[in-house]
Amino acid sequence: MKSQILTIVFALVCAATGMAQTDASNDFSASYENTQGKADRFFDHQEWASAAAMYNFMLQQRPKVPDTYGRAIVATEMLGDTLRSMTLLSDAMHHGVSLDSVLTNVQKYSFQIDEGHLYEHFMLQAVVNNPWMERPLDAYLLRYYMFRRNGPQIIVYAKKMLGGAPDNQEYQLDLADGYLQDGQTAQAVEVWRRIAEGENPNYEAPLQLGNYYNLTGDRHQAHEYLERAYRLKPTPYVEAQLHRLNDRH
């Protein structure tokens, strides 16, 4: 009888402890969500110092949330606190948050407030402070400049990426695009030719050459390169272009 009473008492104590832990967990979760709500409101109203402080507090509680790093970095960048931004990046890496997820969120929130230059500035500073990240950051900078149609910077970063992967056709096409954006058409054509005449030509290079020669009135070369593109990838667009050239001829 005594053992049964002890068993019941023990079970009640465990149940009470479990309920207390659940209540504490629920309280913690509610507190975190309240903090997040306040932080996001500060962010939306561009109260950067308050937003940064709240996000820093949230990261102390949950240091593996990429979205929080993105917002915190944008807020600190708006305050001109580059040192803190770099610390946040280091903290993210320390806690196993991927560089991609951090940059994706920094881009998202800097674009959201129409301050895309913050994303660029953050990456440039990150390269200076973290030389071991230079190549992946250069790849993101290249994508950013492609998005911005910034010809000179596309050329610079495409060449940097090609320095480590000279046969990468994606970077070669980016370089050609940079030349084209910068008004260096002859250099763009040269890059496209190099790809088209190489051992593993892709669809894009002969297509670009075909379109270029079509625009400049060289029907023979336009037809030749569009046919090459069609053999690599028989798309309706290329087929229509070839029909037009044949009809004109």
Side-chain angles (χ1 to χ4, degrees):
M1 182 67 178
K2 184 177 180 180
S3 63
Q4 290 178 337
I5 293 172
L6 289 174
T7 300
I8 293 170
V9 170
F10 179 74
L12 290 171
V13 169
C14 288
T17 302
M19 289 175 65
Q21 290 175 340
T22 300
D23 289 342
S25 177
N26 289 338
D27 289 343
F28 177 81
S29 179
S31 174
Y32 182 87
E33 290 174 0
N34 288 336
T35 303
Q36 183 175 15
K38 292 177 183 178
D40 291 349
R41 283 193 294 275
F42 284 134
F43 189 93
D44 292 341
H45 288 89
Q46 300 188 1
E47 298 178 34
W48 304 121
S50 297
M54 298 294 275
Y55 289 128
N56 289 337
F57 179 69
M58 288 168 61
L59 287 169
Q60 290 175 12
Q61 295 179 310
R62 297 182 183 176
K64 296 184 178 183
V65 182
D67 187 87
T68 310
Y69 283 105
R71 287 178 177 267
I73 287 168
V74 169
T76 55
E77 285 287 320
M78 287 299 294
L79 292 168
D81 191 352
T82 300
L83 181 61
R84 177 58 187 161
S85 295
M86 294 302 101
T87 301
L88 286 165
L89 177 61
S90 297
D91 289 347
M93 299 298 99
H94 174 74
H95 289 289
V97 180
S98 71
L99 178 63
D100 177 76
S101 60
V102 173
L103 293 179
T104 297
N105 281 285
V106 173
Q107 181 186 41
K108 173 184 174 181
Y109 291 114
S110 61
F111 281 26
Q112 179 179 301
I113 63 171
D114 200 26
E115 297 284 353
H117 65 93
L118 293 180
Y119 177 57
E120 176 189 12
H121 179 262
F122 173 72
M123 289 190 289
L124 291 171
Q125 289 299 313
V127 171
V128 173
N129 286 272
N130 304 278
W132 59 277
M133 288 187 191
E134 182 176 6
R135 187 157 180 84
L137 285 165
D138 282 349
Y140 280 98
L141 281 161
L142 175 56
R143 298 275 73 76
Y144 172 76
Y145 293 127
M146 288 287 290
F147 172 76
R148 290 296 192 190
R149 314 308 296 160
N150 186 329
Q153 289 297 84
I154 292 172
I155 294 168
V156 169
Y157 281 88
K159 285 183 175 180
K160 287 186 73 173
M161 297 307 296
L162 285 167
D167 296 326
N168 187 297
Q169 291 186 350
E170 180 182 351
Y171 298 141
Q172 290 173 348
L173 289 169
D174 290 344
L175 178 59
D177 188 76
Y179 282 135
L180 201 63
Q181 294 295 324
D182 198 40
Q184 301 184 55
T185 308
Q187 287 85 341
V189 171
E190 182 182 345
V191 175
W192 290 329
R193 277 185 174 277
R194 194 158 57 241
I195 299 170
E197 305 299 336
E199 293 183 1
N200 298 299
N202 64 12
Y203 166 78
E204 189 68 23
L207 174 65
Q208 294 285 11
L209 287 167
N211 287 333
Y212 168 74
Y213 287 118
N214 196 10
L215 287 171
T216 57
D218 189 335
R219 295 180 185 176
H220 176 74
Q221 292 213 72
H223 196 280
E224 176 187 343
Y225 283 109
L226 286 171
E227 271 198 334
R228 290 194 195 185
Y230 190 76
R231 286 197 295 270
L232 290 166
K233 187 177 180 181
T235 64
Y237 169 78
V238 177
E239 184 178 19
Q241 292 295 94
L242 287 168
H243 281 313
R244 290 192 188 96
L245 283 170
N246 289 331
D247 290 342
R248 286 206 300 259
H249 180 70

